Amino acid sequence: MRPVIVDSAIYRDGRRTDGPADLSDALDEARATGDAFLWVGLHEPTEAEFDHVASEFALHPLAVEDALKAHQRPKLEVYDDSLFAVLKPIVYEPESDRVSSGELMLFMGDSFVVTVRHGEGAPLAEVRRRLEADPEVLKHGPTAVLYAVSDAIVDHYLDVTGELQVDLEELEADVFAPTGGNPANTAERIYTAKRQVLEFRRASGPLAGPLARLTAGSVPFVNEEAHPFFRDVNDHLLRANEQVEGLDRLLSDVLSAHLAQMGVRQNDDMRKISAWAAMAAVPTMVAGVYGMNFEHMPELHWVASYPVVIVVMAGIVMTLYRMFKRRGWM
């Protein structure tokens, strides 16, 4: 269990204290005083590794199954002996301009918090350090952990939307650049950006329901005094969701503009091809007439007929060229 348990500590009156290494003894000690709780952090445990923790804390089998399988939607579920929350932190990778999501499961019960992290995006270490540096917040017990974790994740949502906004502005500038860039590459970049926004919405959108419950009503195992703080988190989430929806709409508009530009360019190409074909058709027609093997044709034996015909054909072609040029077809 040592590699799986990232950190484990008893917090009494908002301060970290040394406790027994055995989870059962540590939980009994936390419950004995009534003003302490045990916080255990796990990272991607297997079923066998999590069985010991689940049995010690009497976690509900359905919640345990969700915590092991991962790939869950953000949600909040209440069981007889515990509260189960699922959150999806978002990570922006500046090297590849990619958005990836992890998963964080949080169990709350009588004097304990168990966090299960999947992926590398959950800021649990930083949250724990920040809480340990602020005993006034941490002394509110497991509710403080739930608030701090959700607040850190949602605040990072806003940071990621800012990064996505910068990427979208660069993409928009490339689409409307005079040269237009590489059309195939531009379309690929737009669809890639759409996938990043979709990944973000899968994480942030469903979280609105759980935060609304924490904000509005009485949720077991959650201190009612924390409702104003969860309202603040919910406000930040609403702002993040509004921003990502705006990015999604703007990406759709950019894609439509890009497709329209491609259509305009194709029409320009077709006009140019048609103009060149028209100019080529005139000498082809004249040469075709004189290529007929008729014995009696006007000016057939005239010495100047050949240069005259060439000059006439060149004059007609130049006239067509100037006309097409004025109309913007060339």
Side-chain angles (χ1 to χ4, degrees):
M1 291 296 298
R2 187 57 51 191
V4 178
I5 298 180
V6 178
D7 199 356
S8 177
I10 296 176
Y11 296 90
R12 182 174 288 106
D13 196 26
R15 301 187 182 275
R16 182 172 183 142
T17 61
D18 295 330
D22 183 76
L23 293 180
S24 180
D25 296 339
L27 182 60
D28 291 340
E29 181 177 325
R31 287 173 172 172
T33 59
D35 62 345
F37 71 96
L38 174 64
W39 182 0
V40 179
L42 307 174
H43 179 233
E44 297 182 355
T46 64
E47 183 175 356
E49 293 167 338
F50 197 50
D51 280 345
H52 175 65
V53 177
S55 61
E56 291 293 342
F57 294 97
L59 304 179
H60 196 279
L62 293 177
V64 171
E65 181 181 359
D66 290 343
L68 290 173
K69 288 185 176 180
H71 302 293
Q72 303 293 320
R73 287 166 54 90
K75 62 182 178 179
L76 182 69
E77 295 182 351
V78 179
Y79 297 100
D80 294 336
D81 299 322
S82 63
L83 178 73
F84 178 60
V86 178
L87 301 97
K88 294 180 74 69
I90 290 293
V91 176
Y92 177 81
E93 302 170 2
E95 296 82 7
S96 58
D97 296 335
R98 292 290 190 273
V99 169
S100 61
S101 63
E103 289 195 31
L104 176 63
M105 285 76 172
L106 189 145
F107 297 87
M108 285 177 51
D110 180 16
S111 301
F112 74 85
V113 176
V114 177
T115 54
V116 182
R117 176 167 59 92
H118 292 269
E120 301 299 330
L124 285 181
E126 179 61 29
V127 169
R128 191 186 285 259
R129 283 194 296 268
R130 190 163 66 246
L131 283 174
E132 290 177 354
D134 192 356
E136 289 299 318
V137 175
L138 192 56
K139 71 179 183 179
H140 289 89
T143 301
V145 177
L146 177 60
Y147 160 71
V149 170
S150 58
D151 183 58
I153 290 176
V154 172
D155 282 347
H156 193 59
Y157 285 172
L158 294 173
D159 296 336
V160 174
T161 57
E163 297 288 350
L164 291 176
Q165 180 67 44
V166 172
D167 291 344
L168 180 54
E169 290 174 356
E170 295 176 355
L171 179 59
E172 189 177 15
D174 291 342
V175 169
F176 292 103
T179 57
N182 185 351
N185 183 52
T186 301
E188 181 181 358
R189 291 174 60 194
I190 295 175
Y191 279 112
T192 299
K194 291 279 284 184
R195 286 196 298 268
Q196 307 313 309
V197 170
L198 178 60
E199 182 72 17
F200 192 109
R201 296 183 67 177
R202 287 173 178 170
S204 64
L207 186 57
L211 280 180
R213 290 179 59 188
L214 292 170
T215 299
S218 177
V219 179
F221 307 105
V222 176
N223 192 330
E224 293 186 0
E225 296 179 358
H227 290 169
F229 298 94
F230 284 113
R231 276 199 299 271
D232 180 67
V233 178
N234 191 45
D235 289 341
H236 292 176
L237 178 65
L238 292 175
R239 186 168 56 172
N241 284 335
E242 289 174 357
Q243 290 179 359
V244 77
E245 288 176 3
L247 291 175
D248 188 47
R249 290 193 298 269
L250 187 55
L251 274 171
S252 298
D253 294 340
V254 170
L255 179 59
S256 299
H258 173 64
L259 295 177
Q261 283 184 332
M262 291 184 62
V264 170
R265 293 192 187 104
Q266 289 176 350
N267 289 336
D268 290 340
D269 294 340
M270 289 302 300
R271 285 199 298 265
K272 292 178 181 179
I273 293 172
S274 300
W276 284 108
M279 288 188 295
V282 173
T284 302
M285 178 188 67
V286 175
V289 170
Y290 277 86
M292 297 179 182
N293 294 322
F294 294 126
E295 183 176 354
H296 302 289
M297 292 186 66
E299 294 123 6
L300 189 61
H301 300 287
W302 184 30
V303 176
S305 62
Y306 178 77
V308 169
V309 169
I310 295 298
V311 171
V312 169
M313 288 192 295
I316 295 175
V317 170
M318 288 302 299
T319 301
L320 291 174
Y321 177 81
R322 295 180 62 183
M323 182 179 66
F324 291 144
K325 190 72 174 178
R326 284 197 304 268
R327 296 184 177 181
W329 285 32
M330 299 295 294

